[in-house]
Amino acid sequence: MRWSGQEIDQEAAGGPTNPALLSLSGLVRSVTTPEFRGVTFHEVTAKSALNKVPAASSMPFDWTVNPYRGCSHACVYCFARSSHRYLDLDTGADFDQQVIVKVNVAEVLRAELAKRSWARELVALGTNTDPYQRAEGRYRLMPGIIDALGESGTPISILTKGTLLRRDLPQLERVAEKVPVDLSMSIAVFDDELQKAVEPGTPSTAARLATVRAAADAGFRVTVFLMPIMPWLTDSNAQLESALAQIAEAGAVRVVFGALHLRPGAKEWFLEWIQREHPELAVGYQRFYGNASYAPSGYRKDLARRVRPLLARHGLDPHEDEDQPEQRRLSAGRAARRAEAPAALDLTPQPALF
């Protein structure tokens, strides 16, 4: 890919042509290329790399690194869409087409990990936007991040839809000799036509299953995130059985599963897609999600009741999605008690730190 000469014309003062990005800290340049038609990459120098997860979060980790913000995978259900609002960009097309690239993230991370205060806690990648989205093939940020974490003695967790993970498997094998390395692949849709419609920028399901197999053959105990399970689209017993059979065949050992949840930003974008592509389901989705971010409790319980025997049949270790309202209430309560002060329950999206 030839990116030189693809820089977008800047204003005389050096600012971006997109007014919404005038306040983007550390902007170096904005780049387009024919290979990513319609996508603009805004290269920035970041001041920090490690993000502290809020104490009230239900997530099983306290630190993340996000080398990119926005994602060309363009998944219509992506929970991270709301994070683009903090850049004064919209949560629909801008999230898919205006991608922030932290070009110095590995160097900044290495400096942060070298501080005496760093306790070598687990660092999770892929929790907001995918570190192996297609642009990683050009920017190659992950090798530097992996080396920095491994050399500092920091455990690593990676969740991705990207088959570019295979490029770094030899490096991850070496790092896994020093620190724990957890690899997870997100595979939500096992129907090719639906997958292309709902996740238009992602690798195919077959390619992701092949990446699971490659990671398993390299000695990793791979987890597959069967998420989101979408009501009336991917949740029939036959669909779940087929999905889990293919996951087991690919060599995964664990499955995290959960029903679709739609927070503000993602909700509007997804419900527009449902109305356009599956109008016969619009009433049902409005009933489930019109006034809520999560599927009804009864639906989620029934889904778990149906999925768990299938997981047992295929020898897969089960784990339910931890980002559920019940778990978030517990986490918020624990955080409030730790602070020794009353705290209001807040189930709104947590901002991704930049």
Side-chain angles (χ1 to χ4, degrees):
M1 184 191 306
R2 293 185 59 84
W3 285 49
S4 58
Q6 299 296 332
E7 185 171 354
I8 296 174
D9 289 338
Q10 305 290 310
E11 299 292 339
T17 57
N18 186 340
L21 292 165
L22 286 172
S23 61
L24 185 59
S25 176
L27 180 65
V28 176
R29 63 172 184 167
S30 297
V31 180
T32 62
T33 178
E35 187 171 343
F36 291 85
R37 182 174 298 176
V39 180
T40 302
F41 297 95
H42 304 284
E43 300 176 357
V44 302
T45 54
K47 294 181 179 179
S48 64
L50 284 166
N51 303 314
K52 186 73 170 71
V53 177
S57 171
S58 59
M59 295 296 97
F61 45 78
D62 292 326
W63 297 94
T64 67
V65 172
N66 297 304
Y68 302 94
R69 188 162 181 174
C71 187
S72 60
H73 284 341
C75 303
V76 295
Y77 55 73
C78 182
F79 73 91
R81 288 183 175 276
S82 62
S83 65
H84 249 41
R85 285 178 172 159
Y86 298 96
L87 300 175
D88 293 325
L89 295 169
D90 71 51
T91 62
D94 280 351
F95 182 83
D96 304 335
Q97 299 170 4
Q98 304 289 330
V99 178
I100 312 302
V101 184
K102 303 176 187 178
V103 292
N104 66 331
V105 65
E107 292 81 1
V108 174
L109 176 62
R110 191 176 295 275
E112 291 176 336
L113 297 174
K115 295 179 179 179
R116 290 185 179 181
S117 58
W118 177 241
R120 296 175 177 82
E121 299 176 67
L122 172 72
V123 170
L125 294 121
T127 62
N128 189 43
T129 55
D130 201 315
Y132 284 107
Q133 58 181 285
R134 286 177 58 213
E136 172 61 16
R138 161 61 176 82
Y139 285 104
R140 298 183 64 87
L141 300 179
M142 283 297 288
I145 291 171
I146 292 166
D147 272 347
L149 292 168
E151 291 169 8
S152 71
T154 300
I156 305 169
S157 173
I158 299 174
L159 170 62
T160 184
K161 291 182 172 77
T163 55
L164 274 167
L165 173 67
R166 297 181 72 167
R167 179 198 67 192
D168 294 342
L169 284 177
Q171 180 187 14
L172 288 164
E173 287 183 75
R174 294 191 296 273
V175 170
E177 296 175 359
K178 304 176 183 178
V179 299
V181 175
D182 181 71
L183 300 183
S184 299
M185 179 64 66
S186 175
I187 314 177
V189 185
F190 288 75
D191 174 273
D192 289 345
E193 184 176 352
L194 178 61
Q195 185 260 328
K196 291 176 183 176
V198 78
E199 304 173 346
T202 61
S204 69
T205 299
R208 279 182 265 176
L209 287 168
T211 303
V212 171
R213 168 51 63 191
D217 288 347
F220 292 99
R221 292 177 56 82
V222 184
T223 296
V224 168
F225 277 62
L226 183 61
M227 293 173 53
I229 297 173
M230 294 177 282
W232 308 295
L233 287 172
T234 63
D235 67 343
S236 73
N237 288 341
Q239 288 170 317
L240 295 170
E241 166 66 29
S242 175
L244 293 171
Q246 292 178 67
I247 290 169
E249 178 64 25
V253 299
R254 180 171 176 261
V255 167
V256 179
F257 67 93
L260 173 72
H261 48 80
L262 295 172
R263 297 179 189 170
K267 178 188 293 190
E268 297 87 342
W269 192 247
F270 185 87
L271 293 182
E272 285 180 12
W273 179 85
I274 282 287
Q275 183 64 57
R276 183 175 66 251
E277 302 294 333
H278 294 277
E280 74 282 3
L281 301 180
V283 172
Y285 269 90
Q286 189 63 36
R287 177 165 54 87
F288 268 29
Y289 297 102
N291 297 311
S293 294
Y294 297 87
S297 175
Y299 175 86
R300 289 184 282 115
K301 289 178 180 177
D302 178 70
L303 180 64
R305 178 187 61 79
R306 292 187 292 120
V307 170
R308 284 186 172 273
L310 299 177
L311 288 165
R313 180 185 306 169
H314 292 288
L316 293 163
D317 180 29
H319 193 88
E320 290 188 49
D321 177 19
E322 293 179 310
D323 186 9
Q324 297 294 339
E326 297 84 0
Q327 185 61 41
R328 296 189 74 185
R329 290 188 184 98
L330 290 173
S331 299
R334 287 194 295 268
R337 288 191 293 273
R338 285 197 297 270
E340 295 182 346
L345 176 63
D346 182 9
L347 294 183
T348 56
Q350 300 164 358
L353 301 178
F354 184 57

